[in-house]
Amino acid sequence: MSASTSPTWNDDTELVSLRFQLQPQRTAKLFPQYSVGLHAWFLDTVRQSDPELSTYLHDGESEKAFSLSLLNGELPLVGRQLEVQRDRTYHWTLTFLNRDLVQWAETWLKTPPETLTLRAATFNIQSIDIYRPPTTYQTLFDSTDGSSVELSFLTPTSFRHRGHHVPLPVPTNLFHSYLRRWNDFSGIPVESEGFLDWVDTHVVIRRHNIQSHKVAAGKRGSVTGFTGSIELAVSATAGHQTPHYVQVFAALAQFAPYCGTGHKTPFGLGETCLGWTEPTVELKSEEIRLAERIEQLTELLLKFQKRPDGNRAQKICKTRATILARRELGECLQDIADDLKMPYDTVKSYVKVTRRFLRELE
C-alpha cells in the first residue's frame, strides 16, 4: 500500500475507524483465541514508533482508547484450529478514540506496514481505508437527534457485575459502558448518576433478537455474552421533560459503533453497529469448546482455594484454567507463555499443578 493511498482526515478529528483488507501469504492455522494476537500486534506497532503511548495504552488505568474487531472472512475449522486460506480476503477494523492515537495514526499511515503476522499466519495488508466517518465528540453531540435507535452486536457482548457476566442488553448497562468512555475521552462530561437513573426510568427495549454465547476472552478466562439486535426508545414524556438527556442518549448511541459495547472491546468483543443486522462473525465449535473448558476448569480449581470468592483466587484459577485449556487444544506452551507475558517455566509448572489437582478430584 503506497503512502499516496493512505486515508486522511481533518486536523481536529478525535475518532477514526480504519478497515484493513488482508490476504494470507499462504494457507495457515489460526488459534481460536487469535484476538490476543491482534491486540498484541497493534500495541507492538505503536511501541515501535511511540513507546510512551504504547505503555499508556497497555498499562493506563483509564478506559482503553481503542477498540478492534475480529477477522471478518471465512475461517473454517480444521482439526482443533481455525484456518486462514490463501485465496480468501479478510477484513479487520481498528478504531481510535482519542486525539493522541489519531495523531499517531496520521504519521503511521504515511509509511504503513506491509504485513500483519499472527504466529504461523502472515497476512499481506492490501489496503487500509476509512471505515466509519472520522469525527469529533462535539460533532456527535451537536448533530444527533432522536429518541429511538437500533443497535446490533456483531460479536459476543457482556457486562461485569459483582464478579459475574451479564449477557443481556439492559439499557443502563449499555449506556454506562458508552458513558465511561465518553467521559474519559470527549471533554464533554456527563454526570453519570443522574443520566443513568434517567435511562433506567425512561429507556425501554421495544424489540430484540438476541442469543447467548460462551467465548474465551482476552488473555485469560471466558465470557458469556450475547449477539443480535435491539431497538431502544425513550418515552414521549421524558423527551419533553429532559431534552438534554435525550441528546446525550442519541450522542452515545452514535458513539457505540466506535467504542464497542461492554468489556473486552480491545480483544474483539462487543463489536457494535447502528441498525438491525446479523452477526458477521460465526463462532466455531472449538471456540465455544475452549470457553466452556476454561469455565469448567476454573470452577474445579476454585474448590482448592481457601477464599474462592477473592479477586486473587479468581485471577489465579482463571489463568491456570486458560493455560491448561489451551494446551489441551494443542497449543504449545511457549506460545501460551508469550501471549500471557509469563515465563515458560511458570506456564509449564501451572499445567503440571493443574493436572495434579484434577487427578485428586477423580
Side-chain angles (χ1 to χ4, degrees), residues 282-318:
E282 179 186 358
L283 296 176
K284 303 298 191 300
S285 60
E286 288 303 295
E287 295 178 88
I288 297 170
R289 179 184 170 189
L290 174 62
E292 291 177 342
R293 182 57 171 161
I294 289 172
E295 182 176 60
Q296 178 190 41
L297 289 171
T298 300
E299 291 177 356
L300 291 173
L301 292 173
L302 284 170
K303 294 180 179 179
F304 291 91
Q305 299 294 317
K306 293 181 179 179
R307 298 179 180 177
D309 295 329
N311 289 335
R312 185 172 182 274
Q314 292 279 339
K315 183 176 181 180
I316 290 173
C317 291
K318 284 181 181 178

Side-chain angles (χ1 to χ4, degrees), residues 16-32:
V16 168
S17 187
L18 300 176
R19 192 185 199 205
F20 293 65
Q21 182 169 303
L22 308 171
Q23 184 165 27
Q25 292 183 352
R26 60 183 180 86
T27 298
K29 297 294 176 59
L30 195 64
F31 189 71

